[in-house]
């Protein structure tokens, strides 16, 4: 406290009474008081005729200002004593409380302290280390953080590149599908326009034939009417004649009457009427066809989630199904099951209960890393007994894991499929009308394989499953 009092008194002695700052170029007046040369000159103004001391009001001579060099030296010393010591060379800061270098670091308060602070009651129980050690720890943490951030940045750049490539591939795929769809609709439109022209031309031809036959029939009927009118008139005249005149040429007249009996020959032949009936049936046929087309198109556009369950009557005796028929696993022992015609007895296959004949459907299956397993679809008429190839030729379109590789049963592409990550869920997509079976990674949406132009032969299609050697499959809810 005494040091602080002496310091304040020293600051008061080296402070200019005018600017209240440390003296700058101090000068002494005749009265003995000291001021900054600039402050006293400004206080008196230019060429003062009557000058007084700002402090004691005694008259002084402006020209008698004497530089006080000794006071200037004392001012410099006071500045150094009252300002914190500059430790730029050592790089340490200074404790505001104790004026000591901040050479220590309190880990509890996360703040630099001096040696006096370290001895104080406030920091005595805290963990204190040298600032070099604390700085090195922070640098190490920063290095680790930088390494993690750089790795994250590289990962984001990789994801960004993959995303750009995936989006570009999807855009290209959608453009190709759009062109295919537009081309298909153009073909349908062209076909319908051609059929419309043929039908209109046919109706026009029938109309012309009807009109022609009508005119011919009218001409024939007009001739018949004219002949009958003539005969009627002649008979009426005979009726008025005398008996002798009436009996003359009577035989020829009666013979003419018998010949004039009219029989309708029919203006329109049966074949022409059948053609007319055919045209009459076209509109109801087109209406029914349009309704079926709309229903089929809507069904084809809408992808419906199928609620698939396993059919225990088809399961191989070594397959164990859950009570809800939503999962299947391979068992080591042969179960004592009834050998039904629909049960597989050689391959460890099981089919789904639900069948599909039209539309687009999908279901998802959780798969294990164990081998071997496969999922897909099969014709309802697929063979159930004995050994046979698992292939589209036999009515099975599948993909799965066997021999340590992800594969498909298509003989053309019976090679391992490349996977970007471990498969956990597979989405099976069936397009009955389009003849397509697709397999996707349900977690990433990546297409794994596509059977295009599959021959379903208009049969009912059933979900297909295969597990062996400890494998298991679970249908997603």
């Amino acid at each position: 406290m005494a040091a602080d009092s002496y310091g304040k008194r020293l600051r008061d002695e080296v402070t200019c009474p005018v600017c209240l700052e440390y003296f700058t170029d101090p000068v002494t007046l005749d009265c003995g008081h000291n001021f900054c040369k600039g402050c006293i000159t400004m206080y008196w103004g230019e060429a003062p005729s009557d000058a007084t001391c700002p402090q004691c009001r005694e008259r002084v001579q402006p020209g008698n200002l004497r530089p006080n060099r000794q006071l200037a030296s004392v001012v410099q010393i006071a500045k150094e004593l009252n300002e914190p010591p500059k430790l730029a060379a050592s790089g340490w800061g200074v404790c505001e409380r104790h004026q000591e270098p901040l050479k220590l670091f309190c880990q509890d308060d996360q703040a630099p302290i001096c040696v006096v602070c370290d001895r104080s009651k406030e920091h005595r129980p805290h963990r204190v280390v040298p600032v070099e050690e604390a700085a090195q720890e922070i640098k190490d943490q920063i290095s680790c953080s930088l390494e993690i951030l750089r790795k994250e940045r590289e990962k984001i750049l990789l994801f960004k590149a993959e995303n750009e490539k995936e989006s570009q591939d999807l855009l290209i795929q959608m453009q190709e599908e759009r062109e295919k769809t537009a081309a298909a609709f153009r073909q349908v439109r062209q076909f319908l326009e051609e059929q419309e022209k043929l039908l209109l031309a046919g109706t026009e031809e029938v109309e012309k034939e009807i009109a022609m036959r009508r005119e011919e029939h009218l001409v024939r009927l007009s001739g018949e009417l004219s002949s009958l009118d003539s005969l009627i008139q002649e008979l009426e005249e005979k009726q008025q004649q005398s008996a002798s005149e009436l009996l003359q040429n009577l035989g020829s007249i009666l013979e003419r009457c018998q010949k004039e009996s009219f029989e309708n020959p029919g203006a329109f032949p049966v074949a022409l009427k059948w053609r007319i009936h055919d045209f009459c049936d076209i509109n109801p046929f087109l209406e029914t066809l349009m309704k079926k087309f709309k229903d089929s198109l809507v069904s084809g556009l809408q992808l419906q989630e199928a609620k698939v369950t396993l059919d225990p009557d088809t399961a191989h005796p070594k397959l164990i199904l859950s009570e809800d028929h939503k999962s299947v696993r391979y068992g080591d022992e042969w179960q004592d099951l009834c050998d039904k015609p629909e049960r597989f007895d050689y391959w460890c296959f099981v089919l789904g209960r639900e069948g599909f004949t039209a539309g687009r459907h999908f279901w998802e299956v959780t798969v294990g890393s164990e081998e071997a397993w496969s999922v897909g679809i099969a014709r309802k008429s697929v063979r159930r007994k004995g050994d046979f190839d698992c292939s589209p030729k036999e009515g099975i379109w599948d993909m799965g894991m066997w021999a340590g590789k992800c594969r498909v049963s298509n003989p053309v592409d019976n090679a391992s499929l490349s996977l970007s990550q471990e498969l956990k869920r597979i989405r099976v997509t069936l397009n009955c009308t389009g003849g397509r079976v697709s397999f996707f990674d349900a977690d990433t949406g990546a297409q794994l394989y596509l059977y295009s132009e599959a021959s379903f032969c208009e049969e009912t299609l059933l979900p297909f499953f295969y597990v062996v050697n400890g494998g298991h499959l679970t249908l997603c809810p």
Side-chain angles (χ1 to χ4, degrees):
M1 296 295 294
D4 292 341
S5 176
Y6 290 141
K8 183 178 183 304
R9 289 173 58 188
L10 178 61
R11 284 196 300 272
D12 291 342
E13 291 299 326
V14 294
T15 299
C16 173
V18 177
C19 65
L20 301 179
E21 298 289 345
Y22 286 123
F23 284 114
T24 302
D25 295 333
V27 293
T28 304
L29 305 186
D30 294 338
C31 63
H33 290 124
N34 300 295
F35 299 92
C36 297
K37 183 177 180 181
C39 291
I40 194 63
T41 302
M42 183 181 299
Y43 178 80
W44 284 338
E46 297 183 1
S49 58
D50 188 13
T52 59
C53 174
Q55 194 167 357
C56 65
R57 302 300 180 182
E58 183 179 340
R59 293 181 179 276
V60 294
Q61 295 294 325
N64 292 339
L65 296 178
R66 299 186 300 276
N68 193 336
R69 295 181 177 84
Q70 187 177 6
L71 179 58
S73 299
V74 174
V75 169
Q76 186 62 34
I77 294 172
K79 286 182 178 180
E80 294 178 357
L81 288 175
N82 287 286
E83 291 179 356
K86 296 181 180 180
L87 302 175
S90 63
W92 307 119
V94 177
C95 178
E96 295 181 355
R97 184 176 178 181
H98 304 110
Q99 300 299 314
E100 293 290 335
L102 300 172
K103 294 185 177 182
L104 302 175
F105 186 79
C106 178
Q107 292 183 335
D108 292 354
D109 293 340
Q110 291 292 298
I113 60 175
C114 66
V115 291
V116 180
C117 294
D118 184 30
R119 298 291 183 179
S120 66
K121 181 180 179 181
E122 179 183 0
H123 292 280
R124 191 177 303 160
H126 292 179
R127 294 170 298 169
V128 177
V129 297
V131 291
E132 295 94 338
E133 183 178 338
Q136 187 60 44
E137 290 181 0
I138 294 175
K139 287 181 180 179
D140 294 341
Q141 293 177 5
I142 292 175
S143 298
C144 294
S145 299
L146 283 174
E147 184 177 357
I148 294 173
L149 292 175
R150 290 191 180 103
K151 289 181 179 179
E152 289 297 319
R153 183 176 182 276
E154 292 177 0
K155 188 186 299 182
I156 292 174
L157 289 174
L158 179 60
F159 288 160
K160 180 174 179 291
E162 291 177 352
N163 181 266
E164 290 178 352
K165 183 180 182 303
E166 184 178 6
S167 62
Q168 186 65 27
D169 293 342
L170 289 175
L171 285 174
I172 293 174
Q173 181 181 357
M174 285 306 302
Q175 290 171 357
E176 292 176 350
E177 291 301 323
R178 183 180 62 185
E179 291 298 326
K180 290 179 181 178
T181 304
F185 272 102
R186 283 196 296 269
Q187 291 178 357
V188 172
R189 191 182 302 113
Q190 181 180 357
F191 172 76
L192 292 176
E193 289 175 352
E194 292 174 354
Q195 293 302 311
E196 181 185 12
K197 290 179 181 179
L198 291 174
L199 289 173
L200 293 178
T203 55
E204 186 177 355
E205 181 182 347
V206 171
E207 289 173 358
K208 289 180 179 180
E209 186 174 354
I210 292 172
M212 180 186 69
R213 289 185 176 276
R214 182 188 63 184
E215 292 299 326
E216 292 176 352
H217 195 56
L218 289 176
V219 171
R220 188 185 313 112
L221 291 177
S222 297
E224 294 287 344
L225 286 173
S226 178
S227 176
L228 288 174
D229 289 341
S230 177
L231 181 59
I232 291 171
Q233 183 180 359
E234 187 175 351
L235 288 174
E236 288 176 349
E237 291 176 354
K238 283 288 186 182
Q239 195 177 21
Q240 300 300 325
Q241 292 178 355
S242 62
S244 58
E245 292 176 339
L246 178 63
L247 295 175
Q248 294 179 7
N249 298 325
L250 182 61
S252 62
I253 293 176
L254 294 175
E255 184 180 355
R256 285 174 59 195
C257 288
Q258 293 176 357
K259 289 183 178 180
E260 288 296 338
S261 61
F262 177 76
E263 292 183 3
N264 186 5
F268 306 102
V270 176
L272 181 61
K273 292 181 180 180
W274 283 123
R275 292 183 66 185
I276 294 173
H277 295 325
D278 289 340
F279 284 117
C280 292
D281 289 339
I282 286 177
N283 282 335
F285 169 75
L286 289 177
E287 291 175 359
T288 304
L289 184 64
M290 181 59 67
K291 184 178 184 304
K292 289 182 178 180
F293 175 75
K294 287 182 178 178
D295 294 342
S296 177
L297 184 61
V298 171
S299 176
L301 291 176
Q302 293 178 346
L303 181 61
Q304 300 176 348
E305 182 176 4
K307 303 301 181 182
V308 176
T309 56
L310 303 174
D311 185 356
D313 292 339
T314 66
H316 185 276
K318 280 195 173 183
L319 297 183
I320 302 175
L321 276 59
S322 61
E323 292 184 1
D324 60 359
H325 297 163
K326 298 290 287 186
S327 65
V328 55
R329 62 184 178 87
Y330 180 80
D332 295 329
E333 297 182 0
W334 193 285
Q335 302 178 83
D336 186 14
L337 300 175
C338 178
D339 187 16
K340 298 182 178 182
E342 59 268 29
R343 189 182 305 281
F344 293 97
D345 65 355
Y346 185 87
W347 292 104
C348 294
F349 296 163
V350 60
L351 301 178
R353 275 202 181 105
E354 294 71 21
F356 310 100
T357 57
R360 296 171 64 235
H361 312 271
F362 79 91
W363 57 93
E364 295 182 354
V365 185
T366 300
V367 300
S369 59
E370 306 87 351
E371 60 172 312
W373 55 262
S374 71
V375 296
I377 65 164
R379 292 197 192 104
K380 189 175 183 179
S381 62
V382 67
R383 283 198 281 173
R384 312 299 175 94
K385 308 300 181 182
D387 184 13
F388 58 89
D389 292 334
C390 182
S391 67
K393 183 179 179 181
E394 292 289 341
I396 297 175
W397 294 263
D398 72 327
M399 72 150 291
M401 185 77 68
W402 60 88
K405 299 290 184 180
C406 186
R407 301 175 182 271
V408 295
S409 296
N410 188 359
V412 178
D413 299 321
N414 192 11
S416 59
L417 304 177
S418 59
L419 302 175
S420 58
Q421 62 183 37
E422 181 183 355
L423 281 177
K424 295 181 180 178
R425 288 188 304 134
I426 292 181
R427 171 178 284 205
V428 183
T429 302
L430 169 63
N431 186 339
C432 298
T433 307
R436 294 162 65 93
V437 185
S438 304
F439 300 90
F440 299 88
D441 185 332
D443 294 320
T444 65
Q447 188 178 64
L448 304 173
Y449 190 76
L450 166 66
Y451 287 95
S452 60
E453 301 179 358
S455 178
F456 299 147
C457 300
E458 298 183 355
E459 276 196 49
T460 300
L461 301 171
L462 300 172
F464 168 86
F465 307 90
Y466 163 63
V467 288
V468 72
N469 296 340
H472 69 274
L473 298 171
T474 303
L475 286 159
C476 298

